[in-house]
């Protein structure tokens, strides 16, 4: 059976997900978003952006997408130092955990699973290359890992690494006759192996120590 989280409420005592219907929980999340100043936290990935910003002390933009030509273009929030921040998130599957924790693969051979690869997709970069190749270079980039729809790890990716990867991908796509979709330009790196290209901004200690 799936392990269920128990929360302590000041008025109601111990509560769990079984105390609510899905509709009730959905309504509470929607109304919590209203209290925070957001019209609809379920629109695209806004709810994830809000949770990541809470962990990092950032301020999320009120609009879902900061489009081309806007002051917040290429970003989802404002960092503590005033720099714009772009967020990318990845859902952890059960099978990903063996890589995240580098569990033992073979006791006999003394091998472990390879470190997890994290990835951010930059849709629209190729089709808006002239502006995107400039504006994305001005922002901080954060890749987050979500487990059960909660952020358990957030990594700040080196901006130079992000831009070099995106531009190289664009040039490959452009030089090959622009075949296929202009979306899905991605930045991928492997934890530990590519540790020179990222810093850890947040870790859920309870999750990583369980």
């Amino acid at each position: 059976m799936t392990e269920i989280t128990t929360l302590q409420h000041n008025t109601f005592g111990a509560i769990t997900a079984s105390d609510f219907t899905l509709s009730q929980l959905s309504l509470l999340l929607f109304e919590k978003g209203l209290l925070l100043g957001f019209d609809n936290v379920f629109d695209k990935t806004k709810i994830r952006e809000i949770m990541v910003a809470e962990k990092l002390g950032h301020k999320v933009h009120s609009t879902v997408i900061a489009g081309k030509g806007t002051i917040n273009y290429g970003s989802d929030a404002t960092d503590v130092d005033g720099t714009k921040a772009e967020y990318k998130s990845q859902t952890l599957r059960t099978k990903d955990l063996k890589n995240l924790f580098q569990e033992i693969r073979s006791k006999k051979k003394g091998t472990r699973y390879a470190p997890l690869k994290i990835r951010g997709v930059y849709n629209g970069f190729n089709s808006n290359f002239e502006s995107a190749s400039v504006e994305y270079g001005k922002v901080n980039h954060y890749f987050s890992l979500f487990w059960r729809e909660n952020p358990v790890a957030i990594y700040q990716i080196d901006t130079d690494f992000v831009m070099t990867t995106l531009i190289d991908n664009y040039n490959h796509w452009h030089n090959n006759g622009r075949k296929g979709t202009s979306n899905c330009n991605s930045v991928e790196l492997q934890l530990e192996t590519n540790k020179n290209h990222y810093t850890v901004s947040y870790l859920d200690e309870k999750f990583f120590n369980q």
Side-chain angles (χ1 to χ4, degrees), residues 94-107 109-117 190-193:
T94 301
K95 66 180 183 179
D96 294 325
L97 299 181
K98 63 180 181 290
N99 298 100
L100 179 63
F101 295 115
Q102 290 184 259
E103 295 176 356
I104 295 174
R105 185 166 189 167
S106 171
K107 290 184 178 180
K109 296 180 180 179
T111 57
R112 293 180 176 272
Y113 284 95
L116 183 72
K117 291 182 178 180
Q190 190 171 43
L191 296 179
E192 297 299 327
T193 304

Side-chain angles (χ1 to χ4, degrees), residues 96-161:
D96 294 325
L97 299 181
K98 63 180 181 290
N99 298 100
L100 179 63
F101 295 115
Q102 290 184 259
E103 295 176 356
I104 295 174
R105 185 166 189 167
S106 171
K107 290 184 178 180
K108 183 177 181 179
K109 296 180 180 179
T111 57
R112 293 180 176 272
Y113 284 95
L116 183 72
K117 291 182 178 180
I118 58 176
R119 183 171 177 255
V121 180
Y122 290 76
N123 288 324
F125 184 91
N126 289 357
S127 57
N128 296 291
F129 179 76
E130 288 188 7
S131 55
S133 60
V134 174
E135 297 304 322
Y136 274 119
K138 300 176 182 177
V139 307
N140 294 331
H141 299 259
Y142 294 89
F143 290 8
S144 58
L145 298 177
F146 274 72
W147 174 252
R148 292 189 174 186
E149 278 309 305
N150 275 280
V152 293
I154 305 171
Y155 306 92
Q156 183 174 356
I157 314 302
D158 179 68
T159 299
D160 288 339
F161 177 79

